[in-house]
Amino acid sequence: PTQTTREVLSRTAHLEDMNEDSAVYNISQEDVWNATNETFEQYINDLEKVVDELTPRLQSRLKSDWRRAEMFELKTDEGDTILVAEDEETFDDVARRKLEHHTHYTSFVNDESLRVTNGAEAKVKRKLYQEGYPVKDRRALKEGSNLDISMEGISLRDYQSEWVERFVEQGSGTFVGPAGSGKTVASLGVISELSSETLIIVPKQELAQQWEDEIVDKTSVTRHQIGQYHGNEKNVRPITIATYD
């Protein structure tokens, strides 16, 4: 596949097999849910750039998967977390039937929402995800303390600046790009733009050290302001790098 094809499919599908002559990509529910496109129409337009023909049956399935990711969201209301369904039918068929009183929620707010048990947000999201309904988390999160940080010795490329701008504007996001496109540098751009305490989560300790080195090399942050949290090292600092292994 060409560079353009790989870039598009990295946003819309996942690679299953590849040899010298061809590559096999698959589009799972999770691929649709994790797509970076803002609308389903943009998602289909991306696919049509690299796929000769999207059959009506495939488009219907993709649309159904996309709609499932729009059915539930978590919101904050006067300090409580509220799970809201898009409509009463979805709430009855999924939330009322699959979520358990006390374990997941304390009470129903109305015919389309419920009050989540304190501290059970992750359980609710996990349960609904397992049922095929990823939850959009739009809770009002606590802001960390301010952090005086700026980029040093490097400038963002135009597309990296666009990534950072969209991330800050939307309050969240996923950077998708081929190796060497500068996703780590763009992430440092986000941290610099937000100027706030930061938690970075990586799969391995080696990557934690790589992140620390990149931060020190490309920003005004010193090593004293960076903590690593894994194994026997448990240091929480303005920027904390933790592992999930």
Side-chain angles (χ1 to χ4, degrees):
T2 66
Q3 180 71 19
T4 299
T5 298
R6 289 197 298 269
E7 289 180 5
V8 170
L9 292 176
S10 71
R11 300 192 297 267
T12 55
H14 66 273
L15 180 65
E16 285 203 338
D17 191 21
M18 188 173 186
N19 56 41
E20 294 181 357
D21 301 317
S22 63
V24 177
Y25 285 84
N26 183 42
I27 306 175
S28 66
Q29 268 191 331
E30 289 77 10
D31 292 322
V32 179
W33 296 342
N34 294 325
T36 59
N37 307 88
E38 294 182 10
T39 67
F40 180 71
E41 287 70 25
Q42 291 177 357
Y43 177 78
I44 291 297
N45 288 339
D46 254 0
L47 282 176
E48 288 178 335
K49 294 175 184 177
V50 298
V51 178
D52 291 335
E53 181 181 2
L54 294 175
T55 66
R57 181 177 180 181
L58 176 58
Q59 289 203 44
S60 176
R61 198 218 89 192
L62 296 177
K63 178 66 173 178
S64 175
D65 291 342
W66 187 279
R67 290 286 296 123
R68 280 174 170 261
E70 298 178 328
M71 293 295 187
F72 289 98
E73 63 181 16
L74 289 176
K75 293 184 176 181
T76 302
D77 180 38
E78 297 183 354
D80 292 335
T81 299
I82 308 299
L83 176 71
V84 182
E86 185 178 72
D87 53 56
E88 184 176 345
E89 180 180 2
T90 302
F91 186 77
D92 286 341
D93 290 345
V94 183
R96 285 183 184 271
R97 294 185 179 183
K98 302 299 181 179
L99 300 181
E100 300 178 6
H101 190 222
H102 298 309
T103 299
H104 297 114
Y105 67 91
T106 58
S107 61
F108 295 117
V109 177
N110 52 42
D111 291 337
E112 298 177 358
S113 63
L114 55 78
R115 184 169 284 103
V116 176
T117 300
N118 187 35
E121 290 86 356
K123 292 181 180 178
V124 170
K125 291 169 69 174
R126 187 180 306 113
K127 180 62 176 177
L128 292 180
Y129 190 94
Q130 291 170 346
E131 296 298 329
Y133 294 89
V135 178
K136 293 186 180 297
D137 197 335
R138 295 198 169 101
R139 287 176 291 165
L141 303 178
K142 295 181 180 179
E143 295 185 1
S145 300
N146 291 335
L147 174 65
D148 186 13
I149 174 176
S150 60
M151 302 287 287
E152 291 189 347
I154 188 171
S155 298
L156 296 178
R157 300 166 185 166
D158 290 342
Y159 67 84
Q160 291 172 320
S161 296
E162 183 181 346
W163 286 354
V164 172
E165 182 179 343
R166 290 185 62 187
F167 187 102
V168 173
E169 181 180 305
Q170 296 178 8
S172 63
T174 302
F175 294 151
V176 178
S181 60
K183 295 184 289 294
T184 299
V185 172
S187 298
L188 297 180
V190 169
I191 298 173
S192 179
E193 187 71 23
L194 295 178
S195 296
S196 177
E197 291 180 322
T198 302
L199 172 63
I200 299 168
I201 302 177
V202 297
K204 298 180 180 179
Q205 294 184 22
E206 294 82 0
L207 292 176
Q209 188 58 50
Q210 288 180 26
W211 262 93
E212 179 174 332
D213 294 341
E214 282 286 286
I215 294 169
V216 172
D217 182 55
K218 294 180 172 62
T219 76
S220 59
V221 171
T222 65
R223 291 196 187 275
H224 179 70
Q225 295 174 287
I226 304 172
Q228 294 193 30
Y229 198 97
H230 51 71
N232 295 323
E233 191 171 350
K234 310 290 185 185
N235 298 313
V236 177
R237 303 275 169 76
I239 294 182
T240 302
I241 309 169
T243 61
Y244 57 78
D245 58 358

